[in-house]
Amino acid sequence: MTDQLISLPTAERDDAAVAAPSPWWRDAVIYQIYPRSFADSDGDGIGDLPGIRSRLPYLRELGVDAVWLSPFYASPQADAGYDVADYRMVDPMFGTLDDARGLIGDAHDLGIRVIVDLVPNHSSDQHEWFRRAITEGPGSPHRGRYHFRAGQGEHGELPPNNWKSIFGGPAWTRTTDPDGTPGDWYLHLFAPEQPDFNWEHPAVADEFRTILRFWLDLGVDGFRIDVAHGMVKAEGLPDVDDSVEWHLLDAGVNPCFDRDGVHEIYRSWRRILDEYPGERIAVAEAWAPTHERVANYVRPDELHQAFNFSYLGTEWDATAQRKVIDDSLEAMGKVGAPATWTLSNHDVVRHTTRMLQPNDGDEVAGRRPIDVDPAAGLRRARAATLLLLALPGSAYLYQGEELGLPEVVDLPPEVRQDPAFHRANGQDGYRDGCRVPIPWGGDEAPYGFGPAGGRSWLPQPDSWAQLSVAAQQGRPGSTLELYRAALALRRSDPALGSGKNLTWREAPEGLLVFDRTPHFRCTVNMTAEPIRIAMPGKALLTSGPVELDGAEVEIPADTTIWWAV
Ligand code: GLC
């Protein structure tokens, strides 16, 4: 029985079939770091840039091509840094600009590229523009950079329209004028501490172009664009039909999301990115209802990649998975962009837990998790990851998934910090459970996340001692070693990442079988029963224990095998 790396592929490579080296990002494995939860150098319980810097060798060994850092900018942290007060400053909680420079330099020395988060839909209410818009009162020129409106009703006591915040409650908050009387309202699609910019105002567009240049000059390799389908709102900010649910995915019926005008912004950004050497990129967090609408963001003169949320939200079912893979490849292929694949991030239930939960087709961000059998969840998650890493295109991993961390489902309400949790009275906003700090080693919390005896901003479960990096390192069969082996194979085998093709093979129901030219095959058993097939070739890697002697192989439930054929 084995569930480890069996051998590197030995099959002859057909050099003609190996495409010319493509830009690094087309098949990159990009690892998301959530800075406050990755590594804490100073013991304040919150991760920081020096902490990340100290762990870069780990990421090099893991075998990722790039890291994407969630926001570390100056911020009051009303939404864990997605409320930016100063786009050119590092929050002291995370370090300094010199730390950022050092981190980028160290990462580059190790061959790791660095992508930073850009939050252009809204700022913090503590951003200088917004503060001035408030303190200077209704006549302030800064008001035009946000959406300020008079209220409805006799005394302006009702919001200007019926839009709702994604985090619950109305999307408008009333201001108080400098003389103490109730004033205009401002729009915030997320928390009240996150006022939406008015992208019709030229100063907003100019400012973001200079912010892009600021970070590009500092050496970053790209940007992850937060709420990339936001920014442009329907003219006149019209009311919506009250029956419209107000979700990130409501593009089409929602007057704030996925408006055609947003693409003009990305065309201008692409020109800036292309001015810099070394293939600097941008990846869109664009929630849109169809693959085609998502593909609009990655047309040749726009952004480079877009997250594939449809894939993330697809149930563990062979027909559904095959369809989402085909649809993604087709839509991205039409615009010449690589597909992307991701299963976890800082907004969704970790896939170790989520993939065992009923999928009601609802939006995945902030969904309430339920407890599942951890062993069964891990088995399925490992199989899903090997499938993901075998697909053509770029893969996004979220910190801790390489340790098989489950969602922490039992955080008490008083430690939860997701603003949506509190605004929606606990009915939504369950994003803290995937943000619990990483266990690096040791027998006691914070398990090496910070100095011994220190704290962590969210409590770590006791069971995480066994899941730490130190506990898994070098242990045959551990999830960490599985990820390392998979990433090493993916790097060394031209049939994988950079290979562009995918050919489905006929297979028994519930088994997905596809080939990547010239010699790679992936088999995934998505059923609850073992499936027996003729041995297709030489096994390279398996997501769980498999008996590999004989002319046939029995693929256990929820198991993926990589083969050289
Ligand atoms: C994105 C981020 C999420 C944040 C929201 C508002 O969806 O991923 O964490 O809360 O935007 O900025």
Side-chain angles (χ1 to χ4, degrees):
M1 296 280 256
T2 180
D3 56 356
Q4 267 307 288
L5 177 66
I6 294 150
S7 73
L8 286 168
T10 51
E12 284 300 306
R13 280 180 191 155
D14 173 1
D15 282 338
V18 177
S22 54
W24 69 271
W25 47 273
R26 295 191 73 91
D27 61 357
V29 175
I30 301 175
Y31 180 97
Q32 181 189 359
I33 294 180
Y34 195 64
R36 55 167 48 226
S37 302
F38 192 63
D40 172 19
S41 72
D42 58 10
D44 65 356
I46 298 170
D48 46 44
L49 300 187
I52 297 172
R53 230 174 137 179
S54 72
R55 297 294 185 181
L56 289 172
Y58 165 79
L59 296 175
R60 154 94 192 189
E61 215 180 312
L62 180 60
V64 302
D65 300 300
V67 290
W68 144 36
L69 304 172
S70 281
F72 50 79
Y73 315 111
S75 161
Q77 305 289 318
D79 184 21
Y82 283 94
D83 48 319
V84 181
D86 186 336
Y87 289 84
R88 295 175 184 79
M89 197 183 146
V90 173
D91 196 286
M93 152 195 302
F94 295 120
T96 64
L97 211 47
D98 268 344
D99 292 328
R101 250 184 228 110
L103 192 164
I104 295 165
D106 286 0
H108 286 170
D109 289 347
L110 291 169
I112 299 174
R113 289 184 162 86
V114 179
I115 292 172
V116 293
D117 222 304
L118 187 71
V119 189
N121 180 68
H122 45 266
S123 70
S124 158
D125 63 349
Q126 296 307 306
H127 188 283
E128 196 201 335
W129 288 0
F130 192 78
R131 279 199 289 114
R132 290 184 59 182
I134 295 294
T135 53
E136 291 169 3
S140 170
H142 289 92
R143 291 215 168 185
R145 298 170 185 198
Y146 295 91
H147 297 280
F148 280 85
R149 293 284 183 285
Q152 303 188 78
E154 204 181 327
H155 306 288
E157 70 281 10
L158 300 170
N161 70 20
N162 67 353
W163 294 3
K164 294 175 222 155
S165 154
I166 299 289
F167 288 165
W172 295 91
T173 290
R174 192 163 196 190
T175 61
T176 304
D177 284 341
D179 66 4
T181 56
D184 286 347
W185 298 67
Y186 68 89
L187 176 71
H188 53 86
L189 291 183
F190 294 89
E193 296 87 351
Q194 295 169 294
D196 279 53
F197 281 119
N198 173 16
W199 271 85
E200 303 295 324
H201 195 295
V204 174
D206 281 352
E207 172 68 355
F208 273 90
R209 283 192 286 261
T210 70
I211 294 167
L212 284 175
R213 288 184 193 284
F214 177 86
W215 289 100
L216 289 166
D217 289 339
L218 212 90
V220 304
D221 300 282
F223 300 91
R224 176 260 187 192
I225 314 298
D226 189 65
V227 197
H229 61 318
M231 290 130 94
V232 175
K233 277 78 181 168
E235 211 177 319
L237 312 185
D239 269 343
V240 292
D241 181 333
D242 255 343
S243 65
V244 167
E245 290 277 322
W246 205 261
H247 287 147
L248 281 168
L249 256 177
D250 283 338
V253 285
N254 184 314
C256 310
F257 290 143
D258 198 31
R259 318 285 311 172
D260 289 337
V262 82
H263 297 287
E264 205 39 61
I265 301 171
Y266 298 132
R267 287 190 195 101
S268 91
W269 289 8
R270 180 58 180 258
R271 289 194 290 275
I272 294 174
L273 292 165
D274 285 349
E275 280 171 27
Y276 284 78
E279 298 277 339
R280 315 287 176 105
I281 69 158
V283 51
E285 187 215 16
W287 299 80
T290 64
H291 294 279
E292 285 66 30
R293 293 295 301 184
V294 176
N296 285 342
Y297 291 78
V298 291
R299 288 177 285 198
D301 59 347
E302 296 195 38
L303 305 180
H304 299 72
Q305 297 182 338
F307 292 128
N308 192 343
F309 293 119
S310 310
Y311 176 74
L312 186 151
T314 298
E315 63 201 306
W316 187 244
D317 166 86
T319 310
Q321 290 276 332
R322 180 170 165 166
K323 178 165 170 27
V324 75
I325 292 167
D326 280 342
D327 291 351
S328 309
L329 290 172
E330 195 192 333
M332 296 301 142
K334 277 190 187 148
V335 292
T340 68
W341 314 102
T342 190
L343 288 168
S344 282
N345 65 37
H346 67 293
D347 290 328
V348 301
V349 175
R350 281 188 176 277
H351 72 277
T352 310
T353 303
R354 191 190 69 241
M355 297 200 75
L356 237 57
Q357 300 185 344
N359 184 336
D360 49 13
D362 238 13
E363 190 172 290
V364 282
R367 185 190 282 178
R368 175 185 244 152
I370 48 174
D371 226 345
V372 298
D373 169 12
L378 183 58
R379 184 164 59 242
R380 185 169 290 180
R382 288 167 55 123
T385 296
L386 278 203
L387 162 59
L388 174 150
L389 289 173
L391 295 171
S394 188
Y396 281 82
L397 308 178
Y398 176 52
Q399 68 178 37
E401 68 168 84
E402 78 278 20
L403 304 176
L405 295 185
E407 182 81 2
V408 181
V409 298
D410 56 358
L411 288 171
E414 62 277 12
V415 304
R416 290 189 178 270
Q417 297 198 18
D418 184 343
F421 179 82
H422 299 287
R423 279 179 70 81
N425 294 324
Q427 296 310 303
D428 199 347
Y430 280 84
R431 298 179 299 169
D432 289 305
C434 65
R435 300 175 176 179
V436 173
I438 298 297
W440 292 92
D443 300 328
E444 275 177 18
Y447 305 112
F449 164 64
R455 313 177 277 129
S456 63
W457 70 278
L458 284 173
Q460 300 154 300
D462 294 343
S463 57
W464 281 22
Q466 284 93 55
L467 295 176
S468 73
V469 172
Q472 296 197 39
Q473 200 141 251
R475 204 184 79 215
S478 73
T479 304
L480 177 57
E481 292 303 333
L482 177 73
Y483 270 71
R484 284 182 176 161
L487 294 180
L489 267 171
R490 191 180 147 107
R491 251 172 195 247
S492 69
D493 190 338
L496 281 164
S498 59
K500 292 192 174 49
N501 54 79
L502 178 148
T503 311
W504 297 105
R505 298 283 168 209
E506 250 181 65
E509 205 180 325
L511 187 73
L512 275 190
V513 181
F514 61 88
D515 286 354
R516 308 282 315 273
T517 310
H519 60 250
F520 178 88
R521 179 165 298 175
C522 181
T523 55
V524 190
N525 182 355
M526 295 195 161
T527 73
E529 303 299 327
I531 298 180
R532 182 170 281 279
I533 57 168
M535 188 76 82
K538 183 167 183 232
L540 300 170
L541 190 62
T542 69
S543 67
V546 181
E547 190 65 63
L548 286 162
D549 298 325
E552 293 195 328
V553 56
E554 189 175 85
I555 306 180
D558 287 352
T559 299
T560 298
I561 307 179
W562 286 5
W563 307 90
V565 290

